[in-house]
Amino acid sequence: MIRAAFPGSFDPPTFGHIDIIERSRSIFDELVVVIAENKQKQYLFSAKERLEMMSEMVKEWKNVSVTLCDTLIVELLKRQGIKIMVRGVRNVTDFSYESELSMMNKALSPGIETIFMTTRPEYLVLRSSSVRELAAFHGDLSALVPPLVAAALQAKF
Ligand code: ADP
């Protein structure tokens, strides 16, 4: 039984995240999507809103669950006995950041491995910050996020 976690801000969740979740859940027996709540960070959506949107998006997938985390991600993984962390990588900038982060996490928790999954080409330039920006200008979000997220963004702006 191999369990893995996919942590992120998901502010808001996008098709890029969903793609990584879908591909990871077919590799691992169980996938826990971890929504980070970092008190130092400013989010557009509250932790509860991000949890609700993500839960709705993955509700058909029985081996995927969603949880909130307001501590270090590796601490949550240790508590839950999860040894694999999945991260999505779009480009070399992501890889450079993600590889440093994985080394820091390795120093904190040697028992946890980070696995990188490259994005699908159609989601190469898709990031939550661009989605928020586009939403603020009332742009078309239909290729980037599911309708429930587009509606939530419209309500915010
Ligand atoms: P972002 O704000 O960049 O969308 P998050 O912290 O919410 O980032 O992302 C969580 C994880 O999902 C990270 O590992 C990030 O690299 C990955 N990710 C985000 N967007 C994509 C995408 N379009 N394709 C692949 N991975 C992605």
Side-chain angles (χ1 to χ4, degrees), residues 4-60:
F6 178 44
S9 302
F10 309 113
D11 186 33
T14 69
F15 286 141
H17 299 133
I18 284 297
D19 176 57
I20 299 287
I21 294 170
E22 191 170 15
R23 287 156 62 201
S24 303
R25 82 171 199 103
S26 67
I27 299 173
F28 304 109
D29 298 298
E30 234 181 86
L31 184 74
V32 181
V33 180
V34 181
I35 303 200
E37 174 66 332
N38 180 345
K39 297 274 181 271
Q40 319 297 322
K41 258 181 146 179
Q42 290 262 323
Y43 298 97
L44 176 63
F45 290 99
S46 69
K48 186 168 166 279
E49 287 172 321
R50 288 178 281 138
L51 178 83
E52 281 170 2
M53 285 188 281
M54 186 59 94
S55 302
E56 184 61 28
M57 287 161 74
V58 302
K59 70 173 182 206
E60 303 296 331

Side-chain angles (χ1 to χ4, degrees), residues 79-137:
R79 281 201 303 277
Q80 298 208 359
I82 299 174
K83 298 200 174 84
I84 297 175
M85 176 147 59
V86 178
R87 296 289 285 171
V89 174
R90 285 161 291 213
N91 49 37
V92 285
T93 312
D94 271 1
F95 182 73
S96 156
Y97 170 75
E98 292 288 345
S99 58
E100 280 186 23
L101 189 63
S102 76
M103 286 171 211
M104 200 156 80
N105 283 330
K106 194 81 186 155
L108 291 171
S109 305
I112 295 176
E113 291 296 345
T114 302
I115 290 188
F116 300 126
M117 191 175 278
T118 48
T119 186
R120 273 161 60 142
E122 55 266 50
Y123 301 137
L124 193 62
V125 295
L126 175 53
R127 56 186 67 248
S128 297
S129 57
S130 319
V131 169
R132 294 194 299 270
E133 210 163 306
L134 187 60
F137 288 105

